Amino acid sequence: MKLAMAGLLTFASAILIAPDARADIKVGVVVSGSGPGSALGQPQMRTIAALPKEIGGEKVTYIALDDESDPTKGTQNARRLVIQDGVDILIGSSLTPVTMPMLDVAVESKTPIISLAAATAIVQPMDDRRRWAFKVVPNDDLMAAAILKYIAKSGIKTLGYIGVSDGYGEGYYKEVSRLAPQLGLTVTTHEVYARADTSAMGQALKVIATNPEAVFIASAGTPAVLPQEALRSRGYAGKIFQTHGVASEEFIKLGGANVEGAIFTGEAFTIADDLPANDPFRQVRDEFVSSYEKANGASPNIFGAHLWDAVTLFKRAAANALKTAKPGTAEFRAALRDELERGKDVYLNNGLSTMSPTDHNGYDERSAFLIKVEGGKFRLVK
């Protein structure tokens, strides 16, 4: 029995590392098409139809799987993609809690992974586990620093906090609690709720009881409406700040008047129409929107742009990697990883990306735009 098991393990390892050179490039996509993260994953699923079908003269095949917003399912999908499908790169997941265990699959199989989630912990601190991981969504520490500086400059001194009880919310709270004292801000509460909750009234009442001048909500997609709706329904009249995770039309449609006035730092995609026509960020957005609308007959949102940007980075890296190795080989995957790390001044919907061996996110404050919900639209705060 032991010999049989050893044989199986050896066979599985061989599948992971054996060369299988081929002409076409395989891209494994894992997103949260269902479950609490579906507001992010569904637009990403629809974006696949708009992606390039050829890179560097080679055909590109996309294999997309739904992780159901579940970390275990996401890991299973990632293993299937690298073992059974032999993908050259992994893209996903939509959510931080699902992405984190997928990093282990990436490092074990030496397959680069580009996450569509937001938490800084996906790419920092740089270590052997994260050496194969990259991320297109700006780090929460970058966005948190930008919005907290704005809050402090506006004269606010006390700030309530409500966030989702996962890596995204806790990542933001870590940055808010670290940076707030440096900026003269006092965080009065640390309330959390689950993405799948149907109410955040209890958390809102606890925040209101501390009488903060403003409230910071760290959530994403439509679940971010709950705390703001609860605060307003209980008569809270102070300013409410959100994160870039709310940058979708669904947030505005569901929140209505309750989310008017919400301010956050977000990506260029969200306010591209407020930029000059020749602005590189606007031109990147226009290319994505045109391709998406042609494929789907509808307009995309920022979550779909995350996948488009990931493939934009991959496309540049693959074109160069093809000069040294063939798809389906360990050499090609390693070359992809190295080329992703060399990307410089790449304009994306999410920001201006310059990767390095120590920075696998690649953005600075030039990628953080101050945005406000005004008149039922996202507008650039000038």
Side-chain angles (χ1 to χ4, degrees):
M1 182 67 182
K2 289 183 179 179
L3 287 174
M5 183 61 70
L8 286 173
L9 291 173
T10 301
F11 177 67
S13 299
I15 294 175
L16 283 175
I17 62 175
D20 180 28
R22 57 176 184 267
D24 61 312
I25 301 168
K26 289 188 177 182
V27 179
V29 181
V30 179
V31 297
S32 303
S34 58
S38 61
L40 288 69
Q42 288 181 7
Q44 290 160 355
M45 278 289 191
R46 290 191 288 271
T47 298
I48 293 171
L51 298 175
K53 306 302 187 292
E54 183 180 295
I55 294 175
E58 304 290 355
K59 176 186 175 183
V60 182
T61 299
Y62 300 95
I63 306 169
L65 301 175
D66 177 15
D67 58 45
E68 302 171 14
S69 304
D70 178 70
T72 299
K73 185 68 173 180
T75 305
Q76 291 172 346
N77 286 347
R79 289 197 183 282
R80 178 212 137 156
L81 288 167
V82 300
I83 295 174
Q84 180 177 321
D85 298 298
V87 298
D88 297 298
I89 190 168
L90 290 166
I91 297 179
S93 172
S94 314
L95 303 175
T96 297
V98 183
T99 294
M100 294 306 292
M102 289 174 61
L103 302 188
D104 295 325
V105 179
V107 70
E108 289 166 9
S109 61
K110 291 184 170 52
T111 303
I113 181 170
I114 304 178
S115 176
L116 309 177
T120 304
I122 294 168
V123 291
Q124 291 182 6
M126 181 54 62
D127 55 18
D128 289 341
R129 184 176 183 233
R130 295 173 174 85
R131 185 171 179 269
W132 291 84
F134 300 81
K135 185 163 73 72
V136 294
V137 181
N139 282 340
D140 40 28
D141 57 351
L142 169 65
M143 291 300 189
I147 192 64
L148 286 175
K149 287 178 183 178
Y150 173 80
I151 293 171
K153 286 181 180 179
S154 67
I156 291 169
K157 298 297 182 183
T158 55
L159 189 66
Y161 176 92
I162 305 176
V164 283
S165 56
D166 59 29
Y168 185 76
E170 290 307 296
Y172 254 101
Y173 180 72
K174 178 182 177 181
E175 294 305 320
V176 169
S177 60
R178 179 180 69 86
L179 294 169
Q182 302 173 23
L183 297 168
L185 294 167
T186 298
V187 180
T188 65
T189 55
H190 178 199
E191 298 299 324
V192 300
Y193 71 106
R195 289 179 190 258
D197 286 350
T198 57
S199 172
M201 185 61 71
Q203 292 86 341
L205 290 172
K206 289 179 181 179
V207 169
I208 292 172
T210 65
N211 196 33
E213 295 173 79
V215 178
F216 187 91
I217 298 172
S219 186
T222 52
V225 171
L226 290 176
Q228 185 153 349
E229 188 174 60
L231 287 165
R232 293 306 190 209
S233 71
R234 288 296 177 172
Y236 182 75
K239 289 185 177 180
I240 296 179
F241 298 92
Q242 293 266 5
T243 73
H244 53 150
V246 306
S248 71
E249 293 302 321
E250 287 77 10
F251 173 76
I252 291 179
K253 289 177 182 177
L254 183 62
N258 286 317
V259 299
E260 273 288 312
I263 298 175
F264 62 98
T265 43
E267 298 88 343
F269 172 89
T270 306
I271 43 76
D273 285 334
D274 287 343
L275 300 174
N278 62 350
D279 188 289
F281 284 120
R282 182 164 179 173
Q283 292 175 347
V284 166
R285 191 286 307 265
D286 289 347
E287 180 184 1
F288 166 53
V289 170
S290 176
S291 296
Y292 185 97
E293 290 180 344
K294 183 178 180 180
N296 294 284
S299 298
N301 64 20
I302 184 62
F303 303 119
H306 295 342
L307 179 56
W308 178 270
D309 284 357
V311 173
T312 297
L313 291 174
F314 165 67
K315 182 168 69 172
R316 188 208 67 82
N320 290 328
L322 284 168
K323 299 173 183 177
T324 61
K326 289 290 186 180
T329 65
E331 291 79 10
F332 184 67
R333 296 194 299 273
L336 277 177
R337 194 218 71 86
D338 293 346
E339 289 297 334
L340 285 168
E341 206 170 70
R342 296 186 185 112
K344 183 178 180 181
D345 291 337
V346 183
Y347 279 92
L348 303 170
N349 290 285
N350 283 276
L352 182 59
S353 175
T354 296
M355 302 285 190
S356 74
T358 58
D359 184 358
H360 284 190
N361 190 224
Y363 301 119
D364 57 29
E365 287 194 359
R366 292 174 296 176
S367 301
F369 293 81
L370 196 63
I371 302 169
K372 183 177 183 179
V373 178
E374 185 175 13
K377 295 182 179 180
F378 294 115
R379 301 307 303 267
L380 178 64
V381 176
K382 299 179 181 180

